Amino acid sequence: MSVTPLRALPIDELRQRTSTKWRKYGEDVLPFFVAETDYALAPAITEVLTRAVQLGDTGYTPPEPGVREAFAGFADRRWGWTVDPSHVFWTGDVMMGVVEILRRVIDPGDRVVVMPPVYPPFYDTVEEAGGVVERVPLLATGAGWDIDLAGVEAALAAGARSVLLCNPHNPTGTVHAPDTLAALADIAERFGATVVSDEIHGPLTYATKPFTPFLTASPAAGRVGYAVTSASKTFNLAGLKCAVMIAGGDAQAKVLRSLPWEVEWRTGLFGALSNVAAYSADSDEWLASLLAALDANRLLLAELLAEQLPEARYLPPDAGFLAWVDLSAYGWGDNPAVKVLRDAKVALHHGPLFGAEGKGFVRINFGCDPDLLREAVERVGALARS
């Protein structure tokens, strides 16, 4: 059955938005830096939020907003993952959830493994929780990126107490293989460590490499793990605060139940309403159309780079709408995004913010109209030829 790709909104409508993507820079700049997408909301989300505004339903989030049941239904339909609803909890956003879990599973000064290049807030999150970042970079294979299992084992053997996993990985778009995740769980269990898995990009995985939720990778994963996720990246809901924390088992559920009440109260009512609508079957068709659009764009970007920036190195991601592109061949310094913004008027995310492994790289958001993506790459291509 063919799926019609979702169409992005026109640029004149997008520039009426007041979010970071459309307000950080002037109208002469094409914004491709932050993880916001350019599509209309899924109809089920628009309907529930419109109804809430009409009713003045803008108060506090209720004790049972329906988030746990909605997420459990989504996980079952999407991944065949049977989630115990009593193991699902909620908070304002994914990084809030990660911080609160880390505060419970490490002591101040404990080391936490992160795998650069990785989402920049991972570093700040570990420090906010009282931990110390232990870098174990991903292994670049030439055909993708892998978790350095030997490096993680060495870090845990030397005393690190937790692993902060990004699955799928941001910025590389890597969907980690089930056997790799199972091996990671075994290592963590051997050293009595905890794995906290950020799985916010999980719903955006392409059919070529199916997503494995960490907690399903093996029985050991359930014994050592927590997952934190949200509909916010997939459905463009970052401003409506809601994320879910999933316990791998009864012991982790007890930890999550022990969190301060304020952790749950940080959830916005509009965030809860929109996440429930996003996770409902009513939004499945919209998500299929979104994935069709993003799949076409990740391949289009490869064509555009080959045409306009032939020395750039790019592997289409397994998941998500973020491209990790090596521009070091052009001699634009450790942080090429600076020159690209100044001279081509295209805003890209700064590679070095993801770790030292990001020197010479940029991250490009391709969750947009194909013509806008073409214009941006052509601008950067003209800069390379100048």
Side-chain angles (χ1 to χ4, degrees), residues 152-215:
V152 173
E153 183 171 15
L156 296 182
R161 301 302 304 138
S162 188
V163 177
L164 183 49
L165 175 67
C166 200
N167 177 44
H169 199 87
N170 175 7
T172 63
T174 304
V175 171
H176 300 301
D179 57 345
T180 299
L181 296 175
L184 176 64
D186 287 343
I187 294 167
E189 187 169 47
R190 194 181 321 140
F191 291 99
T194 300
V195 178
V196 183
S197 185
D198 171 356
E199 302 191 344
I200 199 169
H201 295 277
L204 292 170
T205 304
Y206 304 107
T208 48
K209 196 169 182 183
F211 169 65
T212 301
F214 174 73
L215 298 179

Side-chain angles (χ1 to χ4, degrees), residues 93-109:
D93 60 41
V94 167
M95 289 296 101
M96 283 184 192
V98 169
V99 167
E100 297 302 337
I101 293 169
L102 286 177
R103 282 177 173 151
R104 285 296 190 272
V105 301
I106 66 170
D107 291 324

